Amino acid sequence: MNKKSANNHKITHWLHLFETKVFEYPKIILGLIALVAIFFALQLPNLKIYSDFADLLPQTHPYIELHNEIKESFGGANVIIVGVEYTQSDIFNNDALARIHRVTQAIDSLPGVNHNLVTSLTHRNTRKVWLTPEGNLNSEPYYNPEQTNQTDAALDSLKSDVIADARVYGPLVSPDMHMALIKAQLIEGKLDYAETFRQIRALQESEQAEGVKIHVTGQPMLVGWSYQYLDQIIVIFLFTGLIMVSLLIWYFRKAYGILIPLAGVIVSSIWGVGIISLFGYNLDPLSLVIPFLISARAMSHGIQLVERYYQELTTHDNHHLAARLTFENLFRPGSLGVVSDAIGLLLIAIGSIPLNTKMAHYASIWALSIIVTVLLAVPLLLSVLPKPKNSQATHNIFRHVGSLCADLISDQKSAKRLLVAGLLLMAGGLYFSSKVVIGESEPGSPILYQDHEYNLASKAINDSFPGSEEMYIVAETDEKGGIKRPEVLKALADLQRHMLLDPEVGGAKGAPDLVKQVNRLLHNTDPRWSQIPDDQLYVGGLMYTYMMSNPIPGALNEFIDTDERVANLVFYYKDHQGETIRRAIYAAKTWIAENEGKVEGLTIRLAGGTIGVIAAQNEAAFQTNLLVLPLVFLLIFCSVTLFYSSFLAGTMMLGAMFFATTLTYAYMGIVGMGINSNTVPIIAVGVGVGIDYSIYMMDRVRAEMVLSHSLIAAVQKAIRTTGLAVSFTAITLIAGIVMWVVLSDLRFQSDAALLLIVMVVLNGLSALLLVPSWILIFKPAFITSAYSDEDGVIHGLADADSSADSDAAPLTEATSATCLKKATA
């Protein structure tokens, strides 16, 4: 049986017939591609760029389920925190109190604010409670806006009253009494980020004065800041386009080399953005690096095709044949590379964050469209255009990269040295990878730089207060009025004591404190009565007394629900770094595990507030990281193994991916970048995109092996030719995202682009040095036994059969030396 017969390779023979038919109707196919591009272009006006807070949350996580249940009653993570700071005096003067009240009123007037969950020293809900001579409780606001000229004695009395109230002194007034906080919860469905940001900035401008600083932090403000940099997208886009065009001009210096890759990326981008608009998805400002990366990937594929086309023209005078050979040689490995890209993108959807799920859907389809818009369209376009007058290669620095790498791998000994060096780097990478934290490694928001106004405001507030980051722990009972049961309140008080053992907890607020405070007030403020009574009716009476002393409806809403079945405990932390959150959640889970079932009908649920929401995001990111990356590895391994019918081919790609990914995590550990819901997708995408280089290199070695019948010669020739394409396309890919590093004021976009650049460089080095070295050392049969069938399609023997191809020339030392000399030449 002749193994080269097309009858023995029916699938590849059918593919070859498809490739042949495609080139019989190039103009019709190009016309169809153009018509689809016009259709997608008509969808572009419907594109929306905005952030949706709900899209950032893992909706199936139990913490987020709790957050969704209690956000209307106790509040959620959409909190605005405003600090009014007097640098030269305390806040207990008429000017400061009037200013704090004006700011409070302005915050209470924001669009979508929950008026029942606004707190401030001067707000009507913040009240002084005392015992009257008749034995009744009474209350009044600490601040009366009609009394704007209080005497010094009245101001001193107000200061003393505030210091005596633990609900105000610490949570709302700083211990040094130079800053007051205004907190407000905003309702997600009614929240207008842009308008909220505009009003707050106007408020800051009007109320800031000499010796007065207005600090503002919170999720709505963070999103508002990200909106302010949307104009930068246009600037980044223009600079990116300029850089990539300049690279093409400098590299090719030929019209086809410049215009055809540009045409491919333009059509690909129209398809991609049209797909987003057609699906009705929004582009989030934080995820814009990914579309730029996909566009740059389309450009790099176009460059490889044009470069190979010019190489074919040096041996084939017929430019139609050169275009077809370019297609036949690069379409299959290119398609495999695109599928690898799409796998990395699609698997992002496994996580439970809607933003990443949406991005996975449109980005993976966009990436797959490159097969049509670039890998198919560019060779067809080259076949219908006139033959270029000048097909000689232009000399530039990139043409020396392949030669340099080829010189490093001159024999098996040097290949072994490179593999050992790679293993040592991986060992060091594993050590530094252990330093990567789950969540954020710095205080403030990683979306913005540490010296940004937002993070400076967060730092100022957290430096002045025991803690402004809130974690909610919710207690549920199985009956109405269950929270009034003494054993329930005592259990919650014990939980509070347990949580306060953590020195990072700045304070707590809950129903047990309220009951103890009212009980003490009813006993002439005797501290011995600051305890929870043993009688449920007495507890109910204390709550009723407090509620009746407050003429404002809903006096107990911040502590318990209207059925008195659910209570909210609030704990204050200074930051939401990964370590802080893990410690907080661990402490709560420890108490729950030790006390679960001790109080009948009581259930403790975690966790709401800013800390709870970010904890859910961190846990979801960690679980996604554990699942997505192994799946990316596995699916790419299976794709390569099936494509080349070789387990060793998949193993080689697995090693290349593991090398680049390990050192990527090492980089994250060194620079202090944490694993969170933003970085996990970037890593998955980087793995899929970066493995292309190794696939191209492996495929080129196999193709050269068919021609030279010498492994060392095939490796050398592949490095000198494909090494050129790898180095330049890597630079092109970097050029497509580098302006995010240089120009973006959003730190996350800059860090994400830099992380992708690191992955591209590492994957490029792996393809240029480690993959060829691995081939030389292990001599996989799918390469050493490679042959071409009657259709010109290359095949290899199975791994088990490592015998040389019977039709190939023997690999003698003389043959190897001759082929190596030709390859070097």
Side-chain angles (χ1 to χ4, degrees):
M1 180 182 292
N2 182 7
K3 67 181 180 181
K4 293 187 176 183
S5 172
N7 292 326
N8 292 325
H9 307 287
K10 291 184 179 180
I11 295 178
T12 56
H13 180 62
W14 291 337
L15 289 173
H16 177 72
L17 291 177
F18 164 74
E19 294 168 353
T20 303
K21 289 293 182 182
V22 161
F23 273 80
E24 291 180 2
Y25 309 100
K27 293 181 180 180
I28 294 176
I29 296 173
L30 288 172
L32 291 173
I33 293 172
L35 285 175
V36 175
I38 293 172
F39 169 77
F40 281 130
L42 295 175
Q43 313 302 317
L44 298 185
N46 300 323
L47 181 66
K48 300 173 183 176
I49 301 178
Y50 65 88
S51 289
D52 185 345
F53 181 68
D55 281 349
L56 303 175
L57 308 181
Q59 295 295 333
T60 58
H61 194 284
Y63 299 173
I64 302 304
E65 291 176 348
L66 176 65
H67 161 81
N68 291 332
E69 290 177 26
I70 67 172
K71 63 186 179 184
E72 301 298 334
S73 52
F74 299 130
N78 266 315
V79 185
I80 287 286
I81 303 172
V82 181
V84 180
E85 180 183 14
Y86 273 68
T87 58
Q88 299 172 2
S89 67
D90 64 31
I91 61 170
F92 291 97
N93 60 74
N94 287 308
D95 175 75
L97 292 171
R99 191 182 304 273
I100 293 167
H101 181 67
R102 289 196 301 272
V103 174
T104 301
Q105 293 300 104
I107 296 300
D108 204 1
S109 302
L110 289 173
V113 72
N114 188 332
H115 303 290
N116 294 325
L117 295 175
V118 176
T119 55
S120 163
L121 170 63
T122 64
H123 195 270
R124 63 186 181 277
N125 284 345
T126 305
R127 309 177 70 83
K128 172 188 174 183
V129 183
W130 74 92
L131 185 67
T132 66
E134 292 78 18
N136 299 318
L137 279 185
N138 201 357
S139 71
E140 65 180 12
Y142 278 102
Y143 179 73
N144 185 347
E146 296 179 357
Q147 299 176 358
T148 57
N149 292 306
Q150 299 184 68
T151 63
D152 290 343
L155 292 170
D156 288 340
S157 176
L158 173 60
K159 182 189 294 187
S160 299
D161 290 340
V162 166
I163 292 173
D165 191 345
R167 295 181 301 116
V168 180
Y169 183 62
L172 296 178
V173 176
S174 64
D176 65 2
M177 290 178 283
H178 280 263
M179 189 186 300
L181 283 191
I182 299 98
K183 295 183 180 181
Q185 293 278 347
L186 284 86
I187 302 169
E188 288 179 18
K190 300 179 181 179
L191 176 57
D192 185 336
Y193 288 112
E195 181 60 21
T196 297
F197 183 84
R198 187 193 66 77
Q199 291 189 25
I200 288 178
R201 294 299 286 174
L203 175 66
Q204 285 182 286
E205 186 175 343
S206 63
E207 293 295 345
Q208 219 146 253
E210 184 178 353
V212 180
K213 295 180 179 179
I214 308 296
H215 309 286
V216 188
T217 184
Q219 178 69 25
M221 198 66 181
L222 180 61
V223 175
W225 274 115
S226 68
Y227 279 6
Q228 301 310 299
Y229 302 118
L230 289 178
D231 290 343
Q232 284 186 342
I233 299 171
I234 299 174
V235 177
I236 292 171
F237 174 77
L238 292 175
F239 272 99
T240 300
L242 180 62
I243 289 174
M244 298 185 81
V245 170
S246 301
L247 275 174
L248 289 173
I249 293 172
W250 179 70
Y251 181 77
F252 284 109
R253 301 175 196 174
K254 299 177 180 67
Y256 284 9
I258 299 165
L259 298 178
I260 291 179
L262 283 178
V265 76
I266 290 171
V267 173
S268 172
S269 299
I270 291 173
W271 276 42
V273 179
I275 288 168
I276 299 172
S277 300
L278 194 64
F279 282 3
Y281 288 156
N282 62 293
L283 267 179
D284 192 284
L286 298 179
S287 62
L288 288 174
V289 175
I290 299 299
F292 273 70
L293 177 70
I294 298 173
S295 297
R297 197 72 195 98
M299 173 78 82
S300 67
H301 281 293
I303 289 170
Q304 284 186 325
L305 289 163
V306 175
E307 171 71 19
R308 185 59 177 262
Y309 172 70
Y310 279 120
Q311 289 179 12
E312 295 293 345
L313 283 177
T314 60
T315 54
H316 302 284
D317 188 57
N318 187 331
H319 76 284
H320 298 289
L321 177 60
R324 180 174 165 181
L325 290 174
T326 298
F327 178 76
E328 291 179 351
N329 285 317
L330 293 184
F331 182 75
R332 296 182 192 184
S335 297
L336 180 59
V338 168
V339 169
S340 299
D341 300 346
I343 286 172
L345 289 162
L346 185 59
L347 288 178
I348 299 171
I350 290 176
S352 53
I353 296 179
L355 173 64
N356 291 340
T357 301
K358 292 178 182 178
M359 183 172 65
H361 291 163
Y362 71 70
S364 58
I365 297 174
W366 184 351
L368 286 173
S369 73
I370 293 175
I371 294 176
V372 177
T373 58
V374 178
L375 296 178
L376 174 60
V378 167
L380 290 177
L381 188 59
L382 289 169
S383 72
V384 300
L385 290 173
K387 179 183 176 181
K389 295 180 180 179
N390 180 15
S391 60
Q392 295 299 315
T394 303
H395 292 286
N396 54 61
I397 190 172
F398 293 104
R399 300 193 181 276
H400 299 291
V401 173
S403 299
L404 178 63
C405 293
D407 291 340
L408 291 175
I409 310 174
S410 57
D411 51 30
Q412 285 193 354
K413 186 179 293 185
S414 58
K416 287 180 181 178
R417 284 198 295 265
L418 284 171
L419 286 181
V420 170
L423 288 172
L424 291 176
L425 282 173
M426 285 174 61
L430 288 172
Y431 169 76
F432 287 106
S433 296
S434 65
K435 306 295 183 182
V436 179
V437 300
I438 308 300
E440 298 166 16
S441 59
E442 296 176 331
S445 171
I447 291 175
L448 300 167
Y449 288 98
Q450 285 295 304
D451 60 354
H452 190 277
E453 179 182 332
Y454 176 89
N455 281 333
L456 292 177
S458 297
K459 184 178 186 304
I461 291 172
N462 282 314
D463 286 347
S464 297
F465 287 84
S468 63
E469 306 285 355
E470 298 178 347
M471 181 173 82
Y472 300 164
I473 298 179
V474 174
E476 291 186 357
T477 57
D478 57 0
E479 60 182 351
K480 286 186 177 182
I483 290 298
K484 294 185 293 187
R485 290 163 49 198
E487 63 270 26
V488 170
L489 286 172
K490 288 178 180 179
L492 299 186
D494 185 63
L495 172 57
Q496 282 185 292
R497 285 192 295 272
H498 173 80
M499 297 296 293
L500 288 170
L501 292 175
D502 183 350
E504 294 298 318
V505 180
K509 179 181 73 173
D513 298 323
L514 176 67
V515 170
K516 288 189 285 187
Q517 181 188 18
V518 176
N519 196 20
R520 178 181 175 181
L521 283 171
L522 288 176
H523 292 83
N524 295 312
T525 68
D526 186 340
R528 292 176 299 177
W529 286 95
S530 182
Q531 56 182 281
I532 297 170
D534 293 327
D535 187 342
Q536 181 173 342
L537 292 176
Y538 191 8
V539 170
L542 293 176
M543 289 184 176
Y544 179 78
T545 300
Y546 175 79
M547 186 170 60
M548 293 306 295
S549 73
N550 194 330
I552 304 299
L556 293 175
N557 286 353
E558 61 179 312
F559 302 103
I560 61 177
D561 69 339
T562 54
D563 290 335
E564 299 174 331
R565 190 184 67 83
V566 180
N568 186 34
L569 300 180
V570 182
F571 300 91
Y572 300 99
Y573 293 81
K574 279 187 172 292
D575 59 67
H576 51 255
Q577 294 183 73
E579 183 59 34
T580 301
I581 291 175
R582 279 195 302 278
R583 190 170 56 248
I585 296 297
Y586 175 78
K589 286 184 175 180
T590 300
W591 187 92
I592 293 170
E594 293 174 353
N595 295 274
E596 189 173 13
K598 289 184 178 181
V599 178
E600 185 179 353
L602 175 64
T603 303
I604 304 296
R605 296 178 64 188
L606 300 177
T610 305
I611 297 292
V613 166
I614 298 177
Q617 290 176 316
N618 291 348
E619 289 183 12
F622 178 68
Q623 293 167 2
T624 302
N625 186 66
L626 288 180
L627 185 60
V628 168
L629 282 182
L631 277 176
V632 171
F633 281 25
L634 177 63
L635 289 179
I636 292 178
F637 167 80
C638 292
S639 299
V640 174
T641 299
L642 291 173
F643 187 86
Y644 290 99
S645 300
S646 170
F647 179 81
L648 289 178
T651 303
M652 192 193 319
M653 294 302 100
L654 201 61
M657 289 186 289
F658 190 71
F659 170 80
T661 306
T662 300
L663 294 187
T664 298
Y665 278 115
Y667 163 80
M668 293 173 64
I670 292 171
V671 302
M673 188 182 297
I675 295 175
N676 54 48
S677 56
N678 294 321
T679 55
V680 169
I682 297 298
I683 298 170
V685 171
V687 172
V689 170
I691 199 61
D692 288 11
Y693 304 135
S694 295
I695 291 173
Y696 273 116
M697 179 62 71
M698 179 176 67
D699 196 78
R700 188 59 184 265
V701 171
R702 194 169 73 139
E704 293 298 330
M705 186 66 190
V706 173
L707 298 175
S708 67
H709 303 290
S710 167
L711 190 58
I712 184 65
V715 167
Q716 289 277 308
K717 183 66 178 294
I719 296 175
R720 295 180 191 279
T721 53
T722 300
L724 162 68
V726 166
S727 59
F728 186 67
T729 53
I731 291 296
T732 305
L733 204 57
I734 291 170
I737 56 178
V738 71
M739 296 314 296
W740 291 102
V741 179
V742 178
L743 295 179
S744 179
D745 286 322
L746 290 175
R747 179 184 177 183
F748 166 70
Q749 290 178 335
S750 176
D751 286 349
L754 193 56
L755 186 61
L756 283 169
I757 289 171
V758 168
M759 296 195 76
V760 168
V761 171
L762 290 172
N763 277 286
L765 290 174
S766 178
L768 289 170
L769 298 174
L770 298 185
V771 169
S773 299
W774 192 94
I775 292 172
L776 278 178
I777 298 301
F778 293 97
K779 301 181 178 63
F782 80 98
I783 289 179
T784 57
S785 304
Y787 64 92
S788 60
D789 63 16
E790 293 175 349
D791 293 326
V793 179
I794 297 175
H795 304 275
L797 298 184
D799 295 330
D801 186 3
S802 59
S803 60
D805 186 346
S806 60
D807 295 323
L811 299 178
T812 62
E813 290 185 7
T815 305
S816 298
T818 303
C819 292
L820 176 58
K821 190 179 294 182
K822 290 180 180 179
T824 306

